[in-house]
Amino acid sequence: MTDTETRLRDYLQAQAATIPSDAEGPGLDEPRHRRHWPVLAAAAAIVVVVVLAASLLTRSGDDTEPARPPGPPGPGTAPQVPYTVDTDDALHDGKQVVRIPKGADGYFFGRVAGGGWLGSLMPGVGKFQVGILTPKGTFRIIGPPRSGGQVLSPDRKQVALFHYLSNTRGQVLVFDITTGKQVAQLPAAPGQPDMLGWNQDGLWMGRGKAGLVVWQPATGQQRTVSVPGFDGAAAIPPAAGTVVLSAKVDGKRCLKAGALRDDGFKLQQQYCDQGPEQLYPVLSPDGRTMIHSQRSEAIDVTTGRVTKLKLPNKMWDTLPLPTFENGSYLLTLTDGGAGEGGKALQQLFRCDVTSGDCKLLVKDANGLQLHTP
Amino acid sequence: MSELYQQHWVGLVRLAVLMVDDRQAAEDVVQEAFAELYRRWPLRGPDAALGYLRTAVVNRSRSVLRRRKVARLYIPPHQAPNASAESAAVLSEERSQVQQALQGLPRRTREVLVLRYYLDLAFAEIAQILGISESSARATSSRGLAILTERLEELR
């Protein structure tokens, strides 16, 4: 267990203990009024009972899960990125539907060269390993046990991962996906870097107080990148030179779009606002449009033009993040308010980031997960 | 139903207070959750009822936070509700830092971390309560811990 986990558990236990074990609630009201229902209310109740009975007869009988599980999106509406739905243990990608083998985690980190998707095997508590879900539905292990944080190289032929040597120490390794052989490594060091992404400049890593580090595995060159206020999150498309970083500037939260140059990070566009939430940057694969999920806005990196996305509800502000299908179309889940049983209802939309127009693709998208293309 | 109330009221208020940081609001949330359960009673069994109550508590806590966010627009920051008197009294410096870092996390991330590290629920159970996929729960937890680690380092 890490220091953070220990401190978190300690805090939660202490905070919960502020409610004493012998505390008592005000009690439940007995439904005495039932005996005195007026005739109209009774008649209405009969209607409700009949409707409920009919409903129950057509349902599977799961009282705690009243919402219907979502099915895959219909023809013409399917996301053009890999996705999974809770109703089947399969990864959908275009016309491919691949069964996810037992023990494999249902979260994927991009298509690999030659076919397949980068994923993880999690067969039990404390066991995790990087691997490839093949189009045949098998899972091919890459790298040593206790590895995670995987990131694909821009050509999708290599994978960088973090190998835990202990709970507080580990090393970054790079493997060739075709041969499975290790091709590069960083010396073991304390702490776990946040593996942010890999583009033409190299593998971007957040190293806590040490800030941003970009490592080029092919040459072994490593450089520290100074971005004032950087607070940990980034969007680094593999094929664009532009990246977006989250930062705190003068008490505001900001999205900083820019590119790495010989003399450091060159800022192209900065977009700031006030708000307590952490920003999770999203950037189009061509590096031209960044998304501010908290405000449902698309910002042109070159001109700074802001396009409001016409969504009926708030964009989902944590994972799964909105995902670009291409330079123009963005897929996003929204918080559709409380559904049946008070459970949050997600809906899936496709938005044109140039016009802001959005189209509802899936009305009940609970359990639908978009994955990195 | 009364037995369920006796058995789980304290535990659910503790869960709610970790979500909303305010005892009175937490008690209201739990009371409403039981009222909601009462309207749907009986469920299949005590386990189903507990799952239902946890989901209801999380969802209603979310509503409290939404309302509070709106209220904050009109209340000077020093008056905004953020911590109960009890918690302020008993929390050490170390714990206050965790509280502060936790409060700055996105709502969903905080929910996942509370369910994981307070209730010790499996990701599958967390996913069921929050209406998200298991992999989302796992990824949110991992990302949340990473952010929490960074924030705690900043606060040191």
Side-chain angles (χ1 to χ4, degrees):
Chain A
M1 190 181 294
T2 64
D3 179 50
T4 304
E5 289 176 302
T6 306
R7 289 183 67 185
L8 179 58
R9 277 187 201 280
D10 167 70
Y11 160 74
L12 293 172
Q13 293 299 335
Q15 181 73 330
T18 60
I19 311 296
S21 307
D22 57 357
E24 286 182 9
L28 287 169
D29 288 335
E30 291 300 320
R32 285 167 303 185
H33 55 283
R34 274 185 184 166
R35 293 178 192 166
H36 309 293
W37 278 358
V39 175
L40 279 177
I46 290 166
V47 172
V48 170
V49 167
V50 170
V51 170
L52 276 177
S55 164
L56 282 171
L57 285 172
T58 56
R59 278 169 43 188
S60 61
D62 187 348
D63 287 307
T64 55
E65 293 289 328
R68 177 182 55 81
T77 62
Q80 300 301 300
V81 299
Y83 67 94
T84 47
V85 288
D86 277 356
T87 44
D88 59 9
D89 287 328
L91 179 74
H92 301 249
D93 192 0
K95 289 179 181 173
Q96 291 178 287
V97 180
V98 180
R99 187 153 185 82
I100 301 170
K102 201 172 179 199
D105 187 40
Y107 197 75
F108 297 92
F109 305 87
R111 301 167 179 135
V112 302
W117 300 265
L118 181 61
S120 300
L121 197 64
M122 293 185 174
V125 177
K127 295 178 182 173
F128 48 96
Q129 199 158 6
V130 174
I132 309 295
L133 173 65
T134 70
K136 289 180 180 173
T138 57
F139 201 87
R140 188 161 68 85
I141 296 293
I142 304 273
R146 289 181 60 78
S147 298
Q150 57 270 55
V151 178
L152 267 184
S153 63
D155 64 5
R156 300 173 185 271
K157 292 179 178 174
Q158 295 181 338
V159 57
L161 51 83
F162 182 75
H163 174 216
Y164 287 82
L165 297 169
S166 70
N167 281 345
T168 56
R169 190 176 172 82
Q171 61 187 146
V172 179
L173 307 174
V174 177
F175 288 84
D176 180 278
I177 291 173
T178 308
T179 63
K181 289 185 177 169
Q182 183 183 315
V183 294
Q185 76 172 79
L186 276 176
Q192 181 193 358
D194 201 0
M195 312 273 273
L196 300 170
W198 192 346
N199 68 0
Q200 60 194 29
D201 298 311
L203 179 64
W204 294 64
M205 293 175 282
R207 284 216 173 249
K209 277 188 175 172
L212 268 172
V213 172
V214 180
W215 173 48
Q216 185 56 264
T219 63
Q221 283 186 323
Q222 194 177 172
R223 60 189 287 197
T224 303
V225 181
S226 172
V227 179
F230 171 65
D231 68 355
I236 300 168
T242 311
V243 304
V244 177
L245 307 169
S246 68
K248 291 278 187 305
V249 180
D250 297 332
K252 293 182 176 177
R253 58 183 183 183
C254 301
L255 293 173
K256 290 186 171 199
L260 197 56
R261 299 284 182 255
D262 289 342
D263 55 351
F265 183 75
K266 188 186 176 196
L267 187 67
Q268 290 174 271
Q269 196 65 243
Q270 178 168 291
Y271 188 75
C272 301
D273 74 338
Q274 295 278 7
E277 301 93 349
Q278 166 83 32
L279 292 181
Y280 292 86
V282 177
L283 182 63
S284 60
D286 57 12
R288 291 183 178 172
T289 310
M290 58 181 172
I291 301 298
H292 191 310
S293 306
Q294 292 289 338
R295 300 172 64 92
S296 301
E297 289 174 343
I299 301 118
D300 187 301
V301 169
T302 309
T303 64
R305 178 172 167 259
V306 177
T307 303
K308 187 80 182 171
L309 302 177
K310 298 164 193 164
L311 290 162
N313 295 301
K314 197 174 180 305
M315 286 173 92
W316 206 252
D317 54 7
T318 55
L319 294 164
L321 291 174
T323 305
F324 274 93
E325 292 179 305
N326 51 46
S328 302
Y329 288 101
L330 176 80
L331 296 168
T332 181
L333 291 165
T334 62
D335 184 350
E340 198 175 344
K343 202 169 189 174
L345 176 67
Q346 291 182 319
Q347 297 183 317
L348 180 69
F349 286 83
R350 175 180 285 136
C351 296
D352 181 335
V353 294
T354 53
S355 67
D357 291 337
C358 296
K359 185 182 170 189
L360 177 65
L361 300 186
V362 182
K363 196 175 175 184
D364 178 355
N366 281 16
L368 189 145
Q369 174 83 47
L370 301 171
H371 301 279
T372 309
Chain B
M1 181 64 133
S2 295
E3 197 179 321
L4 205 64
Y5 188 84
Q6 296 290 333
Q7 204 177 343
H8 295 296
W9 187 85
V10 170
L12 289 166
V13 173
R14 285 176 168 176
L15 173 63
V17 88
L18 295 175
M19 302 285 184
V20 300
D21 293 316
D22 179 86
R23 179 167 173 175
Q24 187 55 55
E27 288 188 11
D28 291 346
V29 157
V30 173
Q31 199 66 15
E32 287 172 17
F34 270 103
E36 186 177 307
L37 176 66
Y38 192 89
R39 288 195 290 274
R40 291 169 183 271
W41 192 258
L43 299 187
R44 279 183 308 168
D47 290 343
L50 183 57
Y52 189 95
L53 284 166
R54 283 176 174 163
T55 301
V57 164
V58 171
N59 286 330
R60 286 175 185 282
S61 297
R62 207 173 282 167
S63 302
V64 168
L65 294 176
R66 274 200 197 108
R67 287 199 297 270
R68 189 179 291 171
K69 199 170 161 186
V70 172
R72 273 198 177 124
L73 297 174
Y74 307 100
I75 302 173
H78 67 277
Q79 290 178 19
N82 52 20
S84 65
E86 294 98 323
S87 67
V90 300
L91 288 184
S92 66
E93 171 99 8
E94 281 256 305
R95 287 171 180 164
S96 296
Q97 287 176 352
V98 180
Q99 184 180 49
Q100 200 181 331
L102 204 58
Q103 282 171 345
L105 291 179
R107 183 198 68 215
R108 173 57 53 89
T109 309
R110 179 176 175 165
E111 290 167 358
V112 169
L113 291 180
V114 168
L115 294 172
R116 177 76 177 158
Y117 290 97
Y118 173 61
L119 293 183
D120 280 325
L121 297 184
F123 285 117
E125 293 171 284
I126 296 171
Q128 196 176 18
I129 287 172
L130 297 180
I132 59 177
S133 69
E134 188 176 340
S135 56
S136 280
R138 195 187 299 275
T140 305
S141 171
S142 161
R143 177 92 187 110
L145 269 186
I147 297 173
L148 209 57
T149 304
E150 286 169 17
R151 298 265 167 90
L152 289 173
E153 279 176 9
E154 285 167 12
L155 290 168
R156 269 181 179 168

